[in-house]
Amino acid sequence: MKGDYQDLVDELSALLGAPATLENRDFRLIAFGAHDSEDDLAMDPVRTRSILTRQSTAAVRAWFEGFGITRATAPVRIPAAPEAGVFRGRICLPVRYRGIAQGYVWLLDAEPGPGPEQLAAAMEVAERIGVLMAEEAKAGADLSREFRAVVTAGRGWQRDMAVAALRVALGPGAEGPHAVLCVTPWSGQAPPSVPGAAAVCLVPRTGGDGGGEGPSGFALAVLVRLRTTDQLAPVLSTATRLLAGTAAGPAGAGVDAATTTTARTATAGVGLPGTGLAGLPGAWEQAVAAARAAAAQPGLGPVAQWSQIGPYRMLAALAAAPELARDDPAARALLAPAHAELARTAEVYLDCAGQAGRTAAALGIHRQTLYYRLARVEKLTGLDLDAGEDRLLLHMALKASRLRG
């Protein structure tokens, strides 16, 4: 089997002389051909929305499915339907594998349009896409055990053996570029398929993962294939789809059905991309840290990249070691529930680099009130907020506490 989705869609676009769009059976965008036409009508609202939002509306889906595309084995021509938002006719190439619909390739219909020979050749490419989608779904499910072993193994020979086993299971694709995605918390089963994923598994959340003491549900781990390590669009769009779930509509199959049980408060983190699997365990730790940072600091999320979370890179490691940070004598009293307002005041003050005017404005309080609270913070902690090292210690303790939730 040759090429990935984008290669195959580009091949179809060249074959038919028109930009093609590939969606899975839940009408989620997977890949699309470049649009270089001077005809503005070639980018009708449906195609534009699919590319920009990675999905089609329920009305569009209902209109298309009404023409039997879920059962079709040959190209289907679908007329325009302005009332459903479909302003241009379509040609649908069903993507199937062993009789099961895997997705659809879409082309805008035009005169004279592709001839029978072109469509026959295009269907051969669609069959290759169907094989790729089916094998990917099967591999993602079949490799869950090997992938889970890699992200949960301790350091040393156990981790090395787990990586070697996953490398063998993935075959030649193991040496390609990948990125690791963490979605947490995750309720219910892992999705049966995730477009673009090489492997998917559930990982128990523990205290070290920011879930409190002991088991606390699961996180979803996804190994996403990339074209290059500097193009993260596939993993970021996968994270967005998994977080979105079916909040805006009825549950479908695949990713959508599985994500209906994902908590609305879930966040996602992406580790540094890499080539090969040697750095996979570290990338998973980075993804977990980024997801926790997104939960602690909403401005970073809901999808955070480890490369962009700044000081939370170090704080995540600190927060994962409760014996180092949770019971720090300087912060213990301040972090008690009874002093939540004082703790927030101290955190905002330190976030504002100790500038009283900015802090008071951010909190909406008078400066004298701020000074009174800061004096109480110093008394509770025994720290001098005019001393740089004391301020650094308190700031780290407060941020680590936030990461722990």
Side-chain angles (χ1 to χ4, degrees):
M1 183 171 51
K2 180 181 178 182
D4 62 10
Y5 294 127
Q6 190 61 56
D7 292 333
L8 293 168
V9 168
D10 290 343
E11 182 178 341
L12 276 170
S13 297
L15 178 65
L16 299 171
T21 301
L22 172 63
E23 296 179 334
N24 68 9
R25 61 191 174 197
D26 302 313
F27 288 74
R28 298 282 187 176
L29 181 68
I30 296 176
F32 60 92
H35 166 65
D36 56 5
S37 171
E38 296 181 0
D39 179 9
D40 291 338
L41 293 177
M43 282 298 291
D44 79 336
V46 172
R47 185 170 194 266
T48 300
R49 187 183 192 281
S50 176
I51 292 173
L52 294 179
T53 67
R54 319 295 293 190
Q55 61 185 337
S56 296
T57 66
V60 168
R61 176 173 179 167
W63 175 253
F64 290 156
E65 288 183 338
F67 289 84
I69 61 174
T70 59
R71 301 179 301 278
T73 57
V76 178
R77 275 191 157 87
I78 301 174
E83 66 277 10
V86 182
F87 294 96
R88 293 284 301 276
R90 294 290 198 284
I91 298 177
C92 174
L93 307 181
V95 176
R96 310 185 76 84
Y97 178 73
R98 294 186 176 178
I100 299 175
Q102 304 292 326
Y104 310 99
V105 173
W106 299 98
L107 301 164
L108 294 176
D109 202 0
E111 293 295 338
E117 291 185 0
Q118 285 178 294
L119 288 176
M123 284 301 296
E124 291 181 2
V125 180
E127 289 178 7
R128 288 156 53 196
I129 294 176
V131 172
L132 179 61
M133 295 180 75
E135 290 189 354
E136 182 177 82
K138 182 175 182 293
D142 290 350
L143 298 181
S144 60
R145 183 177 61 181
E146 289 85 353
F147 186 36
R148 185 184 303 109
V150 171
V151 299
T152 59
R155 298 182 183 276
W157 65 270
Q158 291 179 322
R159 177 174 288 185
D160 293 340
M161 289 186 63
V163 170
L166 181 60
R167 182 179 292 112
V168 171
L170 283 173
E175 300 310 315
H178 298 92
V180 182
L181 168 66
C182 170
V183 181
T184 182
W186 184 274
S187 302
Q189 300 298 314
S193 64
V194 176
V200 182
C201 71
L202 290 178
V203 181
R205 297 175 72 235
T206 62
D209 291 332
E213 296 294 343
S216 182
F218 292 89
L220 184 72
V222 186
L223 182 61
V224 181
R225 296 186 182 93
L226 302 176
R227 292 173 65 83
T228 64
T229 55
D230 59 353
Q231 295 183 3
L232 293 182
V235 68
L236 297 178
S237 62
T238 296
T240 300
R241 289 198 303 270
L242 288 168
L243 288 175
T246 54
V255 173
D256 293 337
T259 53
T260 56
T261 54
T262 302
R264 292 289 185 91
T265 56
T267 55
V270 179
L272 286 177
T275 301
L277 304 180
L280 186 57
W284 167 248
E285 293 174 359
Q286 294 168 357
V288 171
R292 293 173 58 205
Q297 196 69 40
L300 295 173
V303 181
Q305 300 177 47
W306 188 83
S307 61
Q308 299 178 359
I309 62 174
Y312 284 97
R313 299 182 194 177
M314 298 182 65
L315 287 168
L318 180 65
E323 70 278 6
L324 296 180
R326 180 166 300 180
D327 296 320
D328 189 284
R332 189 181 303 148
L334 183 61
L335 293 175
H339 300 303
E341 185 178 61
L342 289 180
R344 178 169 179 267
T345 298
E347 185 176 5
V348 173
Y349 175 70
L350 295 168
D351 286 345
C352 292
Q355 297 181 29
R358 286 178 57 199
T359 306
L363 293 171
I365 60 176
H366 193 276
R367 280 200 186 197
Q368 291 302 319
T369 302
L370 172 64
Y371 295 143
Y372 170 73
R373 291 184 184 177
L374 294 177
R376 291 189 61 197
V377 168
E378 289 185 323
K379 185 175 181 179
L380 276 170
T381 62
L383 299 175
D384 180 0
L385 295 184
D386 289 329
E389 290 190 356
D390 282 6
R391 285 162 65 159
L392 177 60
L393 171 62
L394 183 58
H395 208 178
M396 291 174 67
L398 290 168
K399 293 300 185 185
S401 175
R402 179 180 290 278
L403 277 175
R404 290 192 302 269

